[in-house]
Amino acid sequence: QVRRLSDLLAAMRKPIPVQLVSDKRTQVLVYHVGDLGSFESKRLELTPGEYTVVGRCPGYRDVRRTISVKADQASVGPITIRCEEKI
């Protein structure tokens, strides 16, 4: 049981590649990670868990996505985050 728990804890610490795609105009923020700025494509290494990704662009409605990163995944994405609805 101790070995199994040790293996599970090690898996939870292992970063998983996450691919985000945007439009070079939307400012992207991942809560508890940081402000990523604007980009066309960005690869992150995130430990397993739930993450909220927010996109902001002046004159457009903010976009919010929740992504789940699981320890048994090889990678996540691509996740598209871009503001498209004008206000």
Side-chain angles (χ1 to χ4, degrees), residues 5-57:
L5 179 60
S6 177
D7 290 345
L8 288 172
L9 288 173
M12 292 302 291
R13 289 188 202 113
K14 182 182 174 201
I16 307 295
V18 176
Q19 184 70 36
L20 297 176
V21 177
S22 192
D23 57 8
K24 292 186 181 178
R25 179 186 59 169
T26 301
Q27 294 291 316
V28 179
L29 167 80
V30 180
Y31 286 133
H32 304 291
V33 173
D35 188 352
L36 304 179
S38 58
F39 54 85
E40 188 172 327
S41 180
K42 188 166 289 257
R43 183 174 182 261
L44 303 173
E45 299 275 332
L46 300 175
T47 55
E50 295 280 320
Y51 294 88
T52 301
V53 183
V54 177
R56 293 188 174 115
C57 185

